[in-house]
Short mmCIF file of all heavy atoms in Angstrom, two decimals:
data_model
loop_
_atom_site.label_atom_id
_atom_site.label_comp_id
_atom_site.label_asym_id
_atom_site.label_seq_id
_atom_site.Cartn_x
_atom_site.Cartn_y
_atom_site.Cartn_z
N LEU A 743 162.75 211.75 127.51
CA LEU A 743 161.37 211.81 128.04
C LEU A 743 160.93 210.50 128.63
O LEU A 743 161.42 209.43 128.27
CB LEU A 743 160.37 212.01 126.86
CG LEU A 743 160.53 213.45 125.99
CD1 LEU A 743 159.40 213.46 124.92
CD2 LEU A 743 160.43 214.46 126.84
N ASP A 744 159.88 210.68 129.40
CA ASP A 744 159.28 209.41 130.04
C ASP A 744 158.01 209.35 129.06
O ASP A 744 157.04 209.87 129.47
CB ASP A 744 159.01 209.42 131.51
CG ASP A 744 158.19 208.25 132.00
OD1 ASP A 744 158.48 207.13 131.39
OD2 ASP A 744 157.48 208.35 133.05
N ALA A 745 158.01 208.53 128.02
CA ALA A 745 157.03 208.68 126.91
C ALA A 745 156.86 207.40 126.23
O ALA A 745 157.77 206.52 126.23
CB ALA A 745 157.33 209.83 126.02
N ASP A 746 155.75 207.28 125.44
CA ASP A 746 155.65 206.09 124.59
C ASP A 746 156.19 206.60 123.28
O ASP A 746 155.79 207.47 122.50
CB ASP A 746 154.05 205.96 124.31
CG ASP A 746 153.78 204.71 123.51
OD1 ASP A 746 154.60 204.37 122.52
OD2 ASP A 746 152.77 204.05 123.83
N PRO A 747 157.42 205.94 122.86
CA PRO A 747 158.08 206.29 121.73
C PRO A 747 157.39 206.23 120.51
O PRO A 747 157.51 207.01 119.53
CB PRO A 747 159.37 205.32 121.75
CG PRO A 747 159.05 204.28 122.64
CD PRO A 747 158.00 204.73 123.49
N VAL A 748 156.47 205.21 120.34
CA VAL A 748 155.68 204.92 119.11
C VAL A 748 154.76 206.22 118.96
O VAL A 748 154.61 206.72 117.95
CB VAL A 748 154.86 203.62 119.11
CG1 VAL A 748 153.87 203.49 118.03
CG2 VAL A 748 155.84 202.55 119.21
N ARG A 749 154.14 206.61 120.06
CA ARG A 749 153.05 207.70 119.96
C ARG A 749 153.76 208.95 119.83
O ARG A 749 153.27 209.94 119.13
CB ARG A 749 152.22 207.69 121.40
CG ARG A 749 151.54 206.44 121.45
CD ARG A 749 150.55 206.09 120.23
NE ARG A 749 149.94 204.76 120.44
CZ ARG A 749 149.09 204.44 119.54
NH1 ARG A 749 148.87 205.02 118.38
NH2 ARG A 749 148.38 203.23 119.69
N ILE A 750 154.97 209.18 120.40
CA ILE A 750 155.77 210.58 120.22
C ILE A 750 156.05 210.59 118.70
O ILE A 750 155.97 211.55 118.10
CB ILE A 750 156.86 210.59 121.21
CG1 ILE A 750 156.39 210.82 122.62
CG2 ILE A 750 157.82 211.78 120.82
CD1 ILE A 750 155.69 211.94 122.99
N GLU A 751 156.49 209.35 118.09
CA GLU A 751 156.82 209.44 116.75
C GLU A 751 155.64 209.76 115.94
O GLU A 751 155.65 210.36 114.74
CB GLU A 751 157.45 208.18 116.29
CG GLU A 751 157.97 208.05 114.90
CD GLU A 751 158.71 206.73 114.54
OE1 GLU A 751 159.19 206.04 115.59
OE2 GLU A 751 158.84 206.51 113.44
N GLN A 752 154.60 209.21 116.33
CA GLN A 752 153.32 209.46 115.60
C GLN A 752 152.97 210.94 115.60
O GLN A 752 152.48 211.43 114.56
CB GLN A 752 152.11 208.62 116.15
CG GLN A 752 150.83 208.72 115.46
CD GLN A 752 149.78 207.70 116.18
OE1 GLN A 752 149.94 207.18 117.18
NE2 GLN A 752 148.71 207.55 115.52
N ILE A 753 153.03 211.59 116.78
CA ILE A 753 152.83 212.97 116.83
C ILE A 753 153.64 213.81 115.88
O ILE A 753 153.20 214.75 115.08
CB ILE A 753 152.96 213.47 118.31
CG1 ILE A 753 152.02 212.95 119.27
CG2 ILE A 753 153.18 215.01 118.35
CD1 ILE A 753 152.31 213.18 120.66
N ILE A 754 154.93 213.55 115.89
CA ILE A 754 155.83 214.22 115.06
C ILE A 754 155.53 213.90 113.53
O ILE A 754 155.60 214.86 112.79
CB ILE A 754 157.31 214.00 115.41
CG1 ILE A 754 157.59 214.43 116.97
CG2 ILE A 754 158.38 214.71 114.55
CD1 ILE A 754 158.76 213.91 117.47
N THR A 755 155.43 212.71 113.19
CA THR A 755 155.13 212.32 111.84
C THR A 755 153.88 213.03 111.27
O THR A 755 153.70 213.50 110.20
CB THR A 755 154.97 210.82 111.74
OG1 THR A 755 156.21 210.27 112.07
CG2 THR A 755 154.59 210.37 110.34
N ASN A 756 152.84 213.12 112.23
CA ASN A 756 151.59 213.88 111.77
C ASN A 756 151.95 215.29 111.48
O ASN A 756 151.41 215.83 110.39
CB ASN A 756 150.50 213.72 112.84
CG ASN A 756 149.74 212.52 112.85
OD1 ASN A 756 149.68 211.71 111.92
ND2 ASN A 756 148.98 212.14 113.94
N LEU A 757 152.71 215.89 112.37
CA LEU A 757 153.10 217.31 112.02
C LEU A 757 153.81 217.52 110.75
O LEU A 757 153.45 218.43 110.08
CB LEU A 757 153.71 217.95 113.28
CG LEU A 757 153.02 217.94 114.51
CD1 LEU A 757 153.86 218.66 115.65
CD2 LEU A 757 151.83 218.83 114.48
N LEU A 758 154.69 216.76 110.52
CA LEU A 758 155.59 216.83 109.37
C LEU A 758 154.68 216.48 108.18
O LEU A 758 154.85 217.14 107.08
CB LEU A 758 156.69 215.91 109.44
CG LEU A 758 157.85 216.31 110.24
CD1 LEU A 758 158.89 215.11 110.50
CD2 LEU A 758 158.58 217.52 109.73
N SER A 759 153.83 215.42 108.19
CA SER A 759 152.90 215.12 107.07
C SER A 759 152.01 216.22 106.77
O SER A 759 151.71 216.55 105.63
CB SER A 759 152.10 213.80 107.46
OG SER A 759 153.03 212.77 107.53
N ASN A 760 151.48 216.77 107.83
CA ASN A 760 150.54 217.95 107.50
C ASN A 760 151.34 219.14 106.83
O ASN A 760 150.75 219.77 105.97
CB ASN A 760 149.86 218.45 108.74
CG ASN A 760 148.49 217.72 109.02
OD1 ASN A 760 148.11 216.84 108.23
ND2 ASN A 760 147.94 218.17 110.10
N ALA A 761 152.53 219.41 107.42
CA ALA A 761 153.29 220.61 106.78
C ALA A 761 153.47 220.34 105.37
O ALA A 761 153.40 221.31 104.59
CB ALA A 761 154.57 220.75 107.65
N SER A 762 153.84 219.08 104.98
CA SER A 762 154.08 218.80 103.59
C SER A 762 152.80 218.95 102.89
O SER A 762 152.73 219.54 101.69
CB SER A 762 154.71 217.46 103.41
OG SER A 762 154.87 217.14 102.18
N LYS A 763 151.64 218.41 103.30
CA LYS A 763 150.45 218.40 102.63
C LYS A 763 150.02 219.82 102.28
O LYS A 763 149.43 220.15 101.27
CB LYS A 763 149.51 217.58 103.41
CG LYS A 763 147.99 217.49 102.82
CD LYS A 763 146.96 216.88 103.70
CE LYS A 763 147.42 215.78 104.56
NZ LYS A 763 146.24 215.32 105.42
N PHE A 764 150.20 220.73 103.33
CA PHE A 764 149.58 222.07 103.08
C PHE A 764 150.70 223.10 102.57
O PHE A 764 150.46 224.35 102.68
CB PHE A 764 149.00 222.54 104.49
CG PHE A 764 147.81 221.71 104.79
CD1 PHE A 764 147.88 220.80 105.78
CD2 PHE A 764 146.58 221.94 104.00
CE1 PHE A 764 146.77 220.02 106.05
CE2 PHE A 764 145.56 221.15 104.45
CZ PHE A 764 145.55 220.29 105.33
N THR A 765 151.76 222.61 102.12
CA THR A 765 152.95 223.46 101.46
C THR A 765 153.04 223.12 99.99
O THR A 765 152.96 221.89 99.65
CB THR A 765 154.19 223.17 102.22
OG1 THR A 765 153.96 223.53 103.59
CG2 THR A 765 155.31 224.00 101.72
N ALA A 766 153.10 224.20 99.25
CA ALA A 766 153.20 224.02 97.73
C ALA A 766 154.50 223.30 97.37
O ALA A 766 155.42 223.12 98.12
CB ALA A 766 153.08 225.32 97.10
N GLN A 767 154.50 223.01 96.10
CA GLN A 767 155.69 222.43 95.46
C GLN A 767 156.79 223.41 95.59
O GLN A 767 156.54 224.65 95.61
CB GLN A 767 155.27 222.35 93.99
CG GLN A 767 156.34 221.59 93.11
CD GLN A 767 156.16 220.08 93.10
OE1 GLN A 767 155.17 219.61 93.58
NE2 GLN A 767 157.11 219.47 92.57
N ASN A 768 157.96 222.91 95.86
CA ASN A 768 159.24 223.72 96.17
C ASN A 768 159.07 224.57 97.35
O ASN A 768 159.92 225.60 97.70
CB ASN A 768 159.57 224.66 95.01
CG ASN A 768 159.76 223.90 93.64
OD1 ASN A 768 160.28 222.74 93.63
ND2 ASN A 768 159.05 224.31 92.63
N GLY A 769 158.18 224.17 98.23
CA GLY A 769 157.97 225.00 99.53
C GLY A 769 159.10 224.63 100.61
O GLY A 769 159.92 223.78 100.41
#
Side-chain angles (χ1 to χ4, degrees):
L743 300 179
D744 183 24
D746 184 327
V748 171
R749 299 306 179 177
I750 295 295
E751 184 175 340
Q752 185 177 10
I753 288 169
I754 298 166
T755 299
N756 277 345
L757 296 182
L758 288 168
S759 296
N760 267 4
S762 180
K763 185 189 313 184
F764 294 106
T765 300
Q767 190 84 10
N768 303 314

